[in-house]
Amino acid sequence: MSEPHAGDEPSRFRVNRIQSSQLQNTPSVVGTFISTSIPEDLPITINVGGSVPMANNSDGNNEGGDGYPNQHMRPRRSSLAQGLGGGRKKSVTLPKDFDYLAENDGTVYGKNFAYYTREALPHFENYKNILGGGNMSRPTLEELRSEAMYTKKTEIIPEAVSQSVKFGWIEGVLVRCLLNIWGVMLFLRLSWVVAQAGIGLAIVIICLSATVTTLTALSMSAISTNGQISGGGIYYMISRSLGPEFGGAVGAIFSFANATAVAMHTVGFAESLNDLLKTLQVKIVDNAQNDIRIVGTIALIVMQSIIIIGTEWESKAQVVLLIILLVAIADFLIGAFIGPLDDDEFTRGYVGFNATVFATNFVPNYRETEGTKHGFFTIFAIFFPAATGITAGANISGDLKNPGQAIPIGTLLAILTTTTSYIVFALLAGATTIRDATGPVFDDLNATSVIRENWEFANNCTGGVTKCVWGSHNSFQIMELMSIFGPVIYAGCFAATLSSALACLVSAPKIFQALAKDELYPGIKIFAKGFRRNNDPFFAYGAAFVIALAFILIAELNAIAPLISNFYMAAYAMVNFCTFHASLVKPLGWRPDFKYYSVYSSFVGFVLCIAIMFLMSYITALVTFGILACLFFGLVYIKPEVNWGSTAQAQNFKSAINSVQSLNTTLDHVKNYRPHILVLSGRPSNRPTLIDFSYLITKNISMLISGHIIQERQPYKVREYLQEKALTWLTKHKVKAFYNLVDDVDFEEGARCLMQASGVGKLKPNIVLMGYKSDWLSCDVEDFKAYFRVIHDALDNHLGFIIARLREGFDYSNIIEEDSEETVLSLTRTDSQSGMDSDSSRSATGIPKITYTNESFSVEPEVVVESKKSKKKMKEIGADLKGIGGTPLPKAVVNNLTQFQRKQRKGTIDIWWLYDDGGLTMLIPYIISTRSIFQGCKLRVFTIANKQNDLEVEEAGLASLLAKFRIEYSDLVVITDVMTKAKDTTREFFDGLLKEYRKNSEDIMDDEMKLDNSELKAMREKTNRHLRLRELLQDHSRQANLIVMTLPIPRKSGISAPLYMAWLECLTRDMPPFLLVRGNQSSVLTYYS
């Protein structure tokens, strides 16, 4: 780069120009502060030989060095500028982290892009922190769009290097699956399965088991490659896919099944050792179940000790056991092809390859053993645990280097290998051994030779002459008999059973530890505690040890296996259902790398698992589903505070969208009318009684929207905070409602926006409800006019309209403890993903913490830990209400705030159905009367007769109409003297309301607010009618629990706001809770079926 000379044109240094070919040289930004006060692409003009103009700061001031926001950037920028400017410093000194390209026009392009832009480049940490909740360097929208100078700490914390031992797909998945599948059934039960079911059905059993496990493995592979998975295996997959309810239930039962499988494999080892001791004529106690219990307990203690020493030792032990197992398999295969070595083996049933034997053994020969009459599915139930080892690798997913790659490859390869080996072993056992044999005659070798030649060892069993203790039906040591060297088979059997037991003894605690970490069930958190660098769950080890020991003491393999089969089947069914459900719903987050699955294969696997469960044993299946149901509904009741983005949530969204869209093509019918209410409540916590009363109408039948209007424009984070607070309040008070906020509009325009834009499709409000404006005589004229216009706006939009009035009013914002406006405006900045976490929890009682920095806003949920005593107190009505500063509220105030949550005294709901508005005046009080708190209140109906002579006709007609509507009422009163002149005292009360407006009418230029004598004269009859109604209300309804009256219609340009509000004041002042209701003149009631 040539040095500029004096007199040259000013050079321009653009800090944001960078060539893509140089991106790989950009230094990493770790633990630094990044200045972002310089707008992107701002050129810095450097006058060669003169002073160096600095970039303007955010306030537009040119203050030299102060334009740089932090000390880290000053020396770099100043040295570069001085070097290019040719001031006192004659040579160009460039920072080491910068490379520059000079153009002919003097423009220099800097390469260190991250230092000169607010934008964050795509980085793993930005997305990882969605799960972990750590620091992210991605700026918010407010920061990107703001012109204010700020200092942003973009410290990217490097991922901590785990000190725990991680396994690859061979050692972590393939070896474990092979050892688990080649378990006790291979050496002790496979020949017995062939004897019972025959070669043909034995292969069917093996293939059916392989089909179930293969379909499950495909589904499991899809789930495991759909993003990063943590420890917990199948529990983690199901819980993150279907939600905590399904995941918790299956996780609990699957960890129990793994602990029980420890007992099954250990009992298999003890049985094999017991048979070996029998041949050596050695016994511990009785060569029977007691010996099995003793050996099994000792073996369990030894295995648990190995695991406690460390999982890396357990993994090394697995490799050694696999080698022994492979040697034993080779020993069996060689022995099977060589044939029997002596007459003893021959007479014990091992006759070598024989077509007759193969044909005889090809068909089933079910027999009763230990009191159980066996059939295809009982044999399948005993054999199926042999195939359940496919989850051995997935169960330790947290200990795998790359679970998404290791689980599919290792699991599917293990299934292929073991299925092939099982089929080969079944063919060899069926083709070379007979079902029953007497064994050798030890005291006469010549007799043994004769017996072999004449096959008397088999014929005698067929005729029932001799008790047969050999043959595949009677002996579980056929594999040892067929091998070339028997002790190796025993070693292989020991290796298979102990390796499987070890794997299950590791898997069960790991799954339960993951379940305990999520704290789905109360009282299990202690089992989540990990120790040492591998996070070993010692407490969970202890629980698994106790369960395994309890089942070892049963000492009967055939009794343990069917129960395990059902538990595993239930877990496999849920894995298949997870993939099926995700493939069917197709959430955007469902993008597995593993493609060799389909929605059909998952569904077939799910149905197959359920069907086999019932075919094996419908009683055990019902017990399994009963346990799952208890665990599932327990979590439904507990409602754990977790959010894992499950497919159940995606299904809810999809179903909701489809349902709303289907409503667009559904024609409206009066029988399906539902009162969807938009209540102009502001923040729900400010007017709790108005929300409670609105919810009385909509509860369980329709939609309620709480509308909030703010006149000033609010930042996004403030609106987000208010939304969060409102939803928290509604959830806490068990009000099923939506919250809708509009800002930067006045009350009238905001109300109109809410009326027109709230809801979606046909799910939108058809009624507007707001509180009565009791300060209309003293409030600002513009506020009064806006309130009056909202009534017109609602009717203009063809909406029903309700005005509610209480003597005490609805607004408690100055009484109840709530955030002040200053508090709301002092929210702290967090990451732009807040509220979008994939793995987040939110307390229903948590109040967001509020702090302040710069000009960006957001919410930080504050975790509130409550004791059982405080939760119990919360159940008491009004116990959570506090005054300003947390002071207790007077009992009278609490009673007013909760009057629509407590049961009402016995009384009446008086309905003044003055005009036919479509029936809304009748429907609303009927709905309220069905609520539990108003159950003791009877309906009384008041109406107006046209003429005195028509009294009986009017009464009979209305009674008939109400009977057809199927609305029960206690009294029906027809008013005939509504046109009578009102009393002087009532008229004086009315005149007093309008005194001020009449006095100042000449000063008011707005026609809507101006009240003159001509209007009063024109409306004289209507005014008298409303005054007379006040008198009738005082006579008939002063003691009512609730009054509902048809709202008088304000004609457009026909009545001023003061006169209309004076009518409403006359009707409602000093009355019980009062509703003024006006339908949109469309029928909401019908008597047709």
Side-chain angles (χ1 to χ4, degrees), residues 1061-1073:
M1061 291 301 296
W1063 289 351
L1064 302 188
E1065 187 75 21
C1066 288
L1067 295 173
T1068 59
R1069 179 179 283 194
D1070 299 328
M1071 289 291 173

Side-chain angles (χ1 to χ4, degrees), residues 995-1004 1011:
K995 182 178 180 180
E996 292 298 323
Y997 275 97
R998 295 180 68 179
K999 183 189 300 184
N1000 301 324
S1001 62
E1002 296 180 359
D1003 300 332
I1004 300 175
L1011 180 65

Side-chain angles (χ1 to χ4, degrees), residues 199-212:
I199 298 173
L201 291 182
I203 294 176
V204 171
I205 288 174
I206 295 170
C207 292
L208 183 58
S209 301
T211 301
V212 172

Side-chain angles (χ1 to χ4, degrees), residues 759-819:
V760 57
K762 290 190 176 182
L763 275 182
K764 56 186 179 182
N766 50 27
I767 296 174
V768 176
L769 189 155
M770 66 179 182
Y772 181 77
K773 190 170 182 61
S774 56
D775 64 343
W776 64 275
L777 288 169
S778 58
C779 70
D780 182 76
V781 174
E782 291 300 321
D783 291 344
F784 183 16
K785 185 166 62 175
Y787 181 87
F788 181 65
R789 285 180 174 177
V790 167
I791 302 175
H792 282 294
D793 290 336
L795 299 176
D796 288 342
N797 285 282
H798 208 64
L799 300 174
F801 193 77
I802 301 176
I803 297 178
R805 182 171 189 179
L806 294 179
R807 291 177 184 176
E808 307 82 13
F810 290 105
D811 190 359
Y812 287 85
S813 56
N814 296 325
I815 298 176
I816 301 177
E817 184 179 28
E818 190 53 84
D819 302 332

Side-chain angles (χ1 to χ4, degrees), residues 40 335 348 353 507 526 539 669 688 773 817 871 916 1018 1034 1062:
E40 190 174 346
R348 287 174 179 173
F353 288 103
S507 300
I526 188 173
F539 293 122
H669 196 283
K773 190 170 182 61
E817 184 179 28
K871 287 184 178 180
D916 189 353
Q1034 290 178 333

Side-chain angles (χ1 to χ4, degrees), residues 716-756:
Y716 166 75
K717 289 299 180 181
V718 172
R719 287 184 276 116
E720 183 184 47
Y721 168 79
L722 293 174
Q723 180 87 14
E724 179 73 17
K725 287 280 287 185
L727 293 178
T728 299
W729 188 94
L730 293 170
T731 302
K732 182 179 179 180
H733 290 79
K734 299 180 180 179
V735 176
K736 295 179 181 178
F738 301 95
Y739 172 79
N740 208 345
L741 168 68
V742 293
D743 65 346
D744 199 21
V745 290
D746 58 27
F747 179 72
E748 180 190 356
E749 186 178 353
R752 191 184 308 116
C753 291
L754 289 171
M755 294 176 200
Q756 296 175 352

Side-chain angles (χ1 to χ4, degrees), residues 531-543:
F531 298 87
R532 301 186 306 197
R533 65 177 185 176
N534 285 340
N535 196 31
D536 293 321
F538 286 159
F539 293 122
Y541 284 154

